[in-house]
C-alpha cells in the first residue's frame, strides 16, 4: 500500500572529512617533494628550501594580524597552507607541464609554448587550484567564513604555501645552473632569482589569490544566491587576469617587468593593505556595536565591550589572566574573547540578512552565550582591568562598579520598537541581579540568571531566525 522511500545517503561526518583531507595532503606532499627534488637535485632542493622559508613567517604574521580581530582556527589556516604547498602546487606542476608539452607538440615551437603556457595556462591552473581550498572552507567551514576578512586571511595562507613550494623549485634550479656554470655568488642566477621572488615580490601570489578570497568573503555576507555564485567567480577571474599580466610583463619590452611592477603591482598592493586595515577596523566596530546590546541585557559588563573592541586590550587581558591565574586562566580569557567576537559577528550577519538568514542563529547564539557564561568569572575582571589600563574608560572608573552602556550607533540598531522581543534591544535578557559589591576575597561579578533563561533573539524578517 505504501511505497518504500529510497534511502538517503548520510553526509560524511566532520571526522571522516578531516581524515580524508589529511590523507590527501600527506599523499600530495610526499609526491610534490619528490617531484621537486627530482627536478632540482638534492643539493638544489635543500638550498631552495632554506631560501624559500625566509618570507613565510613574516607573510603569515601579516595575514594573521588581519585575522586576529576575529581569530580563524589555526587548524584551518594550516590546512590552507598545506593545500597551497602540496595539493595546489602538485596540480599546477602536472597540469602546466602537460599543457606546455601539448602546445609544443602542436606548434613545433618549444619557446613559444613556454611563453604561452606561462601567460595563458599557468594563471588559470594555479589560481583555480588555490581557489579550491577557499571553496572547501566556504562550503564545509561556513561558521568560520564570516566575511571579507576571513576570505583575505584564508586566501593569503593558501597563496603563501603555494609560493613556498614554487620558490623551492625556482631557487633550486637556479642553484644547480650556477653550479654547472661556476658562476660567482653576486653574479649568480640564484642571487637574481632570490632578489626578484623573495625580496622584490614575495607578496605576488598572495596578492592574486586575495582577490579570489575577497570574492568568497563578499559571497559569505550576501543574501542572494546569484551573488554567492557570481562574486567568487568574479574574484577568481580578476586573480587570473592579474597573474597573467604579471607573468607576461617580460613580453612588454626590456623594462616591461619594472613598468608592471611599479604601475600595477605596487599600487594594487597598497590598495589591498589599505583595504585590510579598513576591514579590520570595521570588524572591531561591529564587535563593539553588537556586544553593546548584550551588555545592555546583562550578559556582559560594558567595560568588557570596550576591551573586546580593542586588540591591545584583549592582549593585555590575556597577559593579566596568565600572571594571576596561570596558563589555564590565559586560555580561558582567550576563548572568552573568541566566543564573544563570534557572537557579535553572528548577530551582525543575521541582522544584515546573510546566507539563508542564519537559520541556526538561535541555537548558535545559545551555545556561545553558554560558553561565555562558563568563563565570565575569570575573563570579566581581566577585561575590565585591561580596559582601564589601556585608557579606554575614564580614569576615575572603577571596574568593580557598574558602568552605563555606551551609546549605540544607528548602524548597530537592528530593530524597530515594535519588532523587539522581550529584553533590552531585542537581546535575550537574563534576570538582572544587584550590582556587584566589594568583598575581601577575589571579586566575582554578579552573573545573570544563567543559560537556562536564554530566550531566542528576534531578528527582522522572521523566517525561522529568532
Amino acid at each position: 500500500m505504501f511505497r518504500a522511500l529510497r534511502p538517503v545517503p548520510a553526509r560524511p561526518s566532520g571526522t571522516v572529512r578531516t581524515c580524508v583531507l589529511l590523507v590527501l595532503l600527506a599523499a600530495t606532499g610526499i609526491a610534490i617533494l619528490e617531484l621537486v627534488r627530482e627536478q632540482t637535485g638534492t643539493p638544489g632542493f635543500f638550498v631552495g628550501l632554506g631560501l624559500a622559508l625566509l618570507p613565510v613567517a613574516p607573510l603569515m604574521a601579516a595575514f594573521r594580524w588581519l585575522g586576529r580581530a576575529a581569530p580563524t582556527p589555526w587548524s584551518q589556516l594550516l590546512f590552507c597552507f598545506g593545500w597551497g604547498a602540496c595539493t595546489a602546487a602538485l596540480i599546477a606542476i602536472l597540469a602546466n607541464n602537460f599543457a606546455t608539452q601539448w602546445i609544443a607538440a602542436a606548434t613545433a615551437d618549444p619557446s613559444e609554448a613556454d611563453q604561452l603556457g606561462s601567460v595563458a595556462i599557468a594563471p588559470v591552473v594555479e589560481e583555480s587550484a588555490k581557489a579550491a581550498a577557499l571553496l572547501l572552507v566556504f562550503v564545509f567551514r561556513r561558521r568560520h567564513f564570516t566575511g571579507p576578512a576571513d576570505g583575505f586571511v584564508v586566501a593569503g595562507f593558501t597563496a603563501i604555501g603555494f609560493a613556498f613550494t614554487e620558490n623551492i623549485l625556482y631557487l633550486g634550479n637556479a642553484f644547480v645552473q650556477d653550479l654547472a656554470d661556476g658562476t660567482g655568488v653576486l653574479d649568480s642566477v640564484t642571487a637574481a632569482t632570490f632578489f626578484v621572488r623573495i625580496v622584490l615580490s614575495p607578496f605576488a601570489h598572495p596578492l592574486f589569490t586575495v582577490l579570489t578570497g575577497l570574492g568568497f568573503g563578499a559571497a559569505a555576507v550576501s543574501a542572494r544566491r546569484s551573488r554567492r555564485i557570481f562574486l567568487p567567480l568574479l574574484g577568481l577571474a580578476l586573480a587570473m587576469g592579474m597573474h597573467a599580466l604579471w607573468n607576461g610583463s617580460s613580453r612588454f619590452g626590456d623594462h616591461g617587468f619594472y613598468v608592471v611592477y611599479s604601475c600595477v603591482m605596487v599600487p594594487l598592493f597598497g590598495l589591498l593593505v589599505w583595504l585590510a586595515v579598513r576591514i579590520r577596523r570595521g570588524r572591531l566596530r561591529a564587535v563593539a556595536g553588537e556586544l553593546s546590546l548584550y551588555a545592555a541585557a546583562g550578559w556582559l559588563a560594558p567595560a568588557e565591550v570596550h576591551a573586546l573592541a580593542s586588540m591591545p586590550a584583549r592582549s593585555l587581558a590575556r597577559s593579566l589572566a596568565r600572571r594571576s591565574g596561570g596558563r589555564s586562566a590565559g586560555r580561558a580569557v582567550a576563548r572568552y574573547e573568541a566566543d564573544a567576537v563570534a557572537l557579535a559577528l553572528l548577530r551582525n550577519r543575521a541582522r544584515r540578512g546573510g546566507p539563508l538568514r542564519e537559520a541556526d542563529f538561535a541555537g548558535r547564539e545559545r551555545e556561545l552565550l553558554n560558553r561565555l557564561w562558563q568563563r565570565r568569572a575569570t575573563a570579566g575582571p581581566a577585561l575590565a582591568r585591561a580596559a582601564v589600563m589601556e585608557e579606554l574608560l575614564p580614569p576615575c572608573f572603577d571596574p568593580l562598579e557598574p558602568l552605563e552602556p555606551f551609546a549605540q550607533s544607528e548602524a548597530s540598531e537592528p530593530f524597530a520598537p515594535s519588532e523587539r522581543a522581550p529584553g533590552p534591544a531585542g537581546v535575550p535578557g537574563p534576570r538582572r541581579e544587584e550590582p556587584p559589591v566589594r568583598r575581601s576575597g577575589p571579586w566575582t561579578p554578579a552573573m545573570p540568571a544563567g543559560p537556562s533563561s536564554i530566550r531566542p533573539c528576534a531578528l527582522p524578517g522572521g523566517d525561522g531566525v529568532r
Side-chain angles (χ1 to χ4, degrees):
M1 181 175 179
F2 297 99
R3 185 173 59 183
L5 298 177
R6 289 181 296 179
V8 178
R11 186 177 182 180
S13 66
T15 303
V16 172
R17 292 196 300 267
T18 301
C19 292
V20 170
L21 289 175
L22 289 177
V23 170
L24 176 63
L25 290 179
T28 55
I30 294 172
I32 191 64
L33 287 176
E34 180 61 22
L35 184 60
V36 172
R37 192 194 64 79
E38 286 181 359
Q39 294 191 24
T40 62
T42 302
F45 173 79
F46 283 106
V47 170
L49 177 64
L51 296 176
L53 276 172
L54 295 177
V56 170
L59 288 172
M60 279 187 170
F63 280 97
R64 185 62 175 168
W65 172 86
L66 171 62
R68 288 190 68 83
T72 303
W74 267 110
S75 57
Q76 184 170 298
L77 297 179
L78 292 178
F79 159 75
C80 291
F81 179 85
W83 180 279
C86 301
T87 308
L90 181 63
I91 293 172
I93 289 178
L94 295 178
N96 289 340
N97 288 342
F98 173 80
T100 301
Q101 292 172 6
W102 181 81
I103 294 172
T107 61
D109 187 351
S111 62
E112 184 65 23
D114 288 338
Q115 292 181 357
L116 183 60
S118 66
V119 175
I121 304 300
V124 175
V125 172
E126 294 176 8
E127 295 306 322
S128 299
K130 289 182 283 183
L134 279 67
L135 179 62
L136 289 173
V137 175
F138 184 79
V139 172
F140 295 108
R141 288 292 183 268
R142 182 68 65 84
R143 178 177 292 183
H144 301 300
F145 210 121
T146 59
D150 296 301
F152 214 111
V153 175
V154 170
F157 271 75
T158 305
I160 292 169
F162 185 90
F164 168 67
T165 301
E166 192 177 67
N167 287 337
I168 296 175
L169 183 61
Y170 277 91
L171 290 166
N173 284 333
F175 179 75
V176 171
Q177 181 179 342
D178 289 333
L179 284 181
D181 297 340
T183 310
V185 175
L186 296 180
D187 298 329
S188 65
V189 179
T190 304
T193 305
F194 180 85
F195 177 76
V196 172
R197 299 190 64 86
I198 306 299
V199 178
L200 203 61
S201 59
F203 58 84
H205 272 287
L207 186 149
F208 306 144
T209 313
V210 157
L211 298 175
T212 307
L214 290 176
F216 275 101
V221 296
S222 177
R224 295 184 181 180
R225 184 177 181 181
S226 59
R227 291 182 179 177
R228 295 201 299 273
I229 297 174
F230 171 74
L231 291 174
L233 293 177
L234 176 62
L236 179 60
L238 292 174
M240 292 176 180
M242 285 298 304
H243 197 155
L245 177 64
W246 175 251
N247 285 359
S249 60
S250 59
R251 306 187 69 178
F252 300 152
D254 295 338
H255 303 289
F257 170 81
Y258 300 102
V259 171
V260 172
Y261 181 82
S262 59
C263 297
V264 179
M265 297 292 288
V266 171
L268 182 59
F269 175 74
L271 177 63
L272 289 179
V273 170
W274 171 82
L275 183 61
V277 174
R278 185 178 178 86
I279 288 173
R280 176 184 162 105
R281 290 177 178 174
R283 181 164 270 197
L284 291 174
R285 284 195 298 269
V287 168
E290 301 297 344
L291 290 184
S292 65
L293 303 177
Y294 290 94
W299 285 102
L300 301 170
E304 295 176 45
V305 179
H306 288 274
L308 289 167
S310 167
M311 297 306 299
R314 287 193 212 173
S315 178
L316 179 58
R318 295 192 298 271
S319 177
L320 292 172
R322 282 193 298 268
R323 193 180 307 165
S324 60
R327 292 184 178 180
S328 60
R331 286 194 297 267
V333 174
R335 291 170 182 168
Y336 185 89
E337 292 171 351
D339 289 338
V341 171
L343 176 64
L345 297 179
L346 173 72
R347 182 177 179 83
N348 185 260
R349 292 195 312 276
R351 181 173 56 80
R352 294 166 55 185
L356 303 180
R357 296 192 60 80
E358 294 293 336
D360 62 341
F361 174 81
R364 178 64 174 155
E365 182 192 44
R366 183 177 291 108
E367 175 189 351
L368 291 170
L369 285 171
N370 182 56
R371 280 152 53 174
L372 289 176
W373 166 268
Q374 295 172 356
R375 300 187 179 98
R376 187 180 175 190
T378 300
L383 287 166
R385 186 179 177 190
V388 175
M389 295 177 67
E390 287 292 322
E391 300 181 354
L392 303 175
L393 299 168
C396 60
F397 171 69
D398 184 347
L400 300 183
E401 298 297 336
L403 179 71
E404 290 297 326
F406 56 87
Q408 174 183 319
S409 65
E410 293 182 2
S412 65
E413 175 59 64
F415 308 105
S418 61
E419 296 172 328
R420 291 179 180 171
V427 179
R431 185 172 66 250
R432 301 299 298 271
E433 303 288 345
E434 293 298 322
V437 296
R438 296 181 183 275
R439 296 181 176 89
S440 57
W443 174 66
T444 302
M447 305 299 287
S452 61
S453 68
I454 298 176
R455 293 192 296 276
C457 178
L459 286 167
D463 298 334
V465 184
R466 300 290 298 165

